[in-house]
Amino acid sequence: MRRAVLVLALGLLARAGQASGRERPRPRLTRASARQLHVTQGTVNAGPDGRLTVEESKVRAVLPGLDATAAELRFKYLGPTRVQKTLASGELRQQLGLKLRARDGCNVVYVMWRIRPQAGLVVSVKSNPTAHTSADCGNRGYTRVRADQEAPVPELVPGTSHTLHAAWEGQALHVHVDGALAWKGTLPPEAFGFEGPVGLRTDNGRFELELLLQQR
């Protein structure tokens, strides 16, 4: 009897060791500093702990020269900005998100977490092959990318902290919110008509945040 118990125990230990050996290591993410950011609109400030702070109505920034396969925003939502500014479309929206393949203001893939007027996660491609500045393209060239799989995201409440993570391989894009899969889909061909670094975007929201990326 004791021999049978011993054999069973050894078998369970062996299986546990095999399972542990199959576990994929968590990807290493590198935190970007304020001095690495190229801010194209608004201001991004550095806090004493290395986190970034955003207080202005519109902020756009990228990490030039860094080739990545994943990007992540870890942030604390502090509430709306004192001054609210409309988008080029005339809509008043609060949001933050990641910029992927960001060649310029007219050619970029967005993964945006909308706060107001309606909470949700939106992936879109802005493609304007012959334009390069916002003055050239305005709000033209947007295509919303439909998900193959998606889940609701939490409503952002001032004082709460969250994580937005996007990873891509080829045309496949996976977005996780607070560690759970929130969006999975395929980027359209126009997303590959340009290339560029990752970055961040905020509209009408105040945040403390960290921008991290997984380099190739």
Side-chain angles (χ1 to χ4, degrees):
M1 179 67 178
R2 282 184 295 179
R3 182 177 179 182
V5 171
L6 179 60
V7 171
L8 178 61
L10 290 173
L12 291 174
L13 286 173
R15 290 180 184 178
Q18 292 172 359
S20 177
R22 288 196 302 267
E23 289 180 358
R24 297 178 62 183
R26 295 184 63 185
R28 181 181 177 183
L29 297 174
T30 303
R31 185 172 72 167
S33 65
R35 67 174 179 271
Q36 289 178 292
L37 283 176
H38 173 54
V39 181
T40 57
Q41 188 171 2
T43 303
V44 178
N45 296 307
D49 58 357
R51 288 189 293 178
L52 310 173
T53 59
V54 169
E55 296 283 345
E56 293 193 30
S57 302
K58 293 186 178 184
V59 170
R60 313 284 189 269
V62 293
L63 283 168
L66 296 178
D67 192 12
T69 59
E72 181 172 294
L73 280 176
R74 299 174 186 172
F75 65 92
K76 182 177 183 180
Y77 176 49
L78 303 177
T81 54
R82 183 178 61 84
V83 176
Q84 298 280 290
K85 294 183 179 180
T86 60
L87 303 178
S89 64
E91 182 181 3
L92 185 61
R93 186 185 299 160
Q94 294 178 31
Q95 60 183 356
L96 88 159
L98 292 162
K99 301 172 69 172
L100 313 178
R101 302 182 63 83
R103 187 178 75 178
D104 47 46
C106 295
N107 300 275
V108 57
V109 177
Y110 285 112
V111 179
M112 301 300 299
W113 191 336
R114 293 184 179 176
I115 306 169
R116 300 284 185 276
Q118 183 176 357
L121 194 66
V122 175
V123 176
S124 61
V125 177
K126 187 177 185 182
S127 175
N128 297 273
T130 61
H132 302 288
T133 68
S134 296
D136 295 333
C137 62
N139 66 335
R140 298 187 299 276
Y142 278 100
T143 300
R144 181 165 178 171
V145 184
R146 299 299 175 182
D148 298 325
Q149 179 181 338
E150 60 184 330
V153 298
E155 181 179 356
L156 293 187
V157 177
T160 58
S161 297
H162 299 275
T163 300
L164 175 65
H165 179 97
W168 55 96
E169 184 175 356
Q171 293 178 283
L173 176 66
H174 294 75
V175 182
H176 287 74
V177 166
D178 298 336
L181 183 65
W183 193 98
K184 180 174 75 172
T186 302
L187 294 175
E190 53 263 37
F192 300 91
F194 52 85
E195 59 182 350
V198 303
L200 64 90
R201 168 179 175 164
T202 69
D203 290 283
N204 298 313
R206 298 164 47 241
F207 303 93
E208 291 178 357
L209 57 84
E210 298 172 88
L211 175 60
L212 305 97
L213 69 158
Q214 179 186 346
Q215 293 181 255
R216 294 186 188 275

